[in-house]
């Protein structure tokens, strides 16, 4: 509650070169975003993917857009169809594209054309180990990340896995945009603490908008 009331009052913060936190930037549209998340999940159900090494992610994932992120024994990659159903992923809602473009522009990245949105759901205890987002060839495009529901400790490191990690509390409605010099910085999410949020109940959602292919494709 207090997070919601004061979220929009926290100041924009530069985390690293090319990485900016826009506190509360999605607050006014978070109810609509979650309703749309429900639509997407009804078409492409959440699943716990396996890493190439055979471990299961604790986070549940799905996608929308012309491409979706997938992982199994064959590796990390983007797929144009949901491997579970063989169907194309649900479309990126038009207002999601516009919103992601606005957020990217506010962070200094004009002309962002997202192709994929990865939807992550964290139940209590779910976490995301330190990683780089490097399955996209469009490394000149930023990633736009929207947090919804329960707050999480976001871990923001540097170019090397062993670089010091900064802990950042992300609350519902927060948007992080990063690209440029920090596009390949290591990051992760600490295990989610059990709590309740009026928007999402017992969980946290994170939406990440990505441009995958560098070519001039739509
Ligand atoms: C999360 N986010 O916030 C996980 N990756 O749940 C990410 O892994 C992430 O927020 C690339 C860019 C922004 C992100
Ligand atoms: Fe990531």
């Amino acid at each position: 509650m207090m997070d919601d009331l004061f979220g929009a009052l926290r100041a924009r913060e530069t985390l690293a070169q090319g990485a900016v936190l826009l506190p509360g930037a999605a607050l006014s549209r978070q109810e609509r975003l979650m309703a749309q998340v429900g639509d997407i999940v009804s078409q492409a159900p959440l699943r716990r993917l396996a890493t190439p090494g055979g471990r299961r992610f604790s986070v549940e994932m799905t996608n929308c857009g012309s491409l979706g992120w997938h992982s199994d024994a064959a590796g990390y990659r983007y797929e144009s169809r949901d491997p579970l159903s063989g169907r194309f992923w649900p479309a990126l809602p038009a207002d999601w594209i516009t919103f992601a473009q606005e957020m990217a522009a506010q962070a200094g990245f004009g002309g962002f054309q997202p192709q994929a949105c990865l939807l992550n759901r964290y139940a209590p205890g779910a976490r995301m180990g330190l990683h780089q987002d490097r399955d996209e060839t469009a490394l000149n495009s930023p990633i736009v990340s929207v947090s919804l529901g329960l707050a999480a400790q976001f871990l923001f490191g540097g170019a090397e896995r062993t670089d010091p990690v900064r802990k950042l509390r992300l609350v519902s409605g927060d948007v992080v945009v990063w690209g440029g010099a920090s596009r390949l910085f290591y990051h992760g999410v600490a295990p989610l603490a059990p709590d309740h949020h009026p928007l999402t109940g017992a969980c946290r959602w994170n939406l990440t908008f990505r441009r995958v292919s560098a070519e001039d494709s739509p």
Side-chain angles (χ1 to χ4, degrees):
M1 173 65 91
M2 290 315 214
D3 288 342
D4 288 356
L5 288 173
F6 296 113
L9 298 180
R10 285 171 296 136
R12 167 194 177 113
E13 191 182 342
T14 299
L15 306 173
Q17 205 186 325
V20 51
L21 167 64
L22 305 170
L27 262 184
S28 66
R29 55 211 320 142
Q30 61 179 4
E31 281 82 12
R32 179 169 165 82
L33 283 168
M34 277 312 302
Q36 292 167 303
V37 164
D39 280 352
I40 289 160
V41 166
S42 73
Q43 299 168 63
L46 290 164
R47 74 284 313 260
R48 285 180 61 198
L49 297 171
T51 66
R55 293 168 59 100
R56 261 177 208 287
F57 285 96
S58 55
V59 176
E60 295 178 284
M61 302 176 187
T62 191
N63 296 274
C64 64
S66 55
L67 292 167
W69 190 81
H70 187 68
S71 170
D72 59 20
Y76 300 130
R77 62 195 181 275
Y78 282 88
E79 294 277 4
S80 56
R81 290 170 182 264
D82 180 350
L84 259 56
S85 65
R87 296 198 302 260
F88 290 114
W89 298 104
L92 260 171
D95 58 334
W96 286 25
I97 297 177
T98 317
F99 177 62
Q101 288 174 329
E102 281 169 20
M103 294 297 102
Q106 278 190 31
F109 300 96
F112 179 49
Q113 294 286 353
Q115 292 171 307
C117 179
L118 172 63
L119 291 75
N120 288 330
R121 184 173 76 172
Y122 295 72
R127 60 187 287 276
M128 180 84 73
L130 270 193
H131 68 277
Q132 296 170 293
D133 284 44
R134 51 183 307 156
D135 303 316
E136 305 78 20
T137 48
L139 291 176
N140 53 337
S141 286
I143 292 179
V144 173
S145 164
V146 181
S147 291
L148 296 165
L150 288 183
Q153 288 276 359
F154 192 73
L155 314 170
F156 190 70
E160 307 293 332
R161 185 177 283 279
T162 50
D163 283 345
V165 166
R166 172 172 172 195
K167 293 195 177 75
L168 196 70
R169 185 174 144 87
L170 292 182
V171 306
S172 197
D174 281 355
V175 176
V176 180
V177 180
W178 86 66
S182 39
R183 176 63 180 72
L184 290 174
F185 276 21
Y186 281 88
H187 57 282
V189 178
L192 191 80
D195 200 351
H196 174 86
H197 193 282
L199 184 67
T200 58
C203 51
R204 168 180 187 258
W205 289 80
N206 176 256
L207 315 180
T208 44
F209 295 87
R210 298 127 185 275
R211 172 115 202 133
V212 178
S213 47
E215 311 88 77
D216 232 5
S217 49

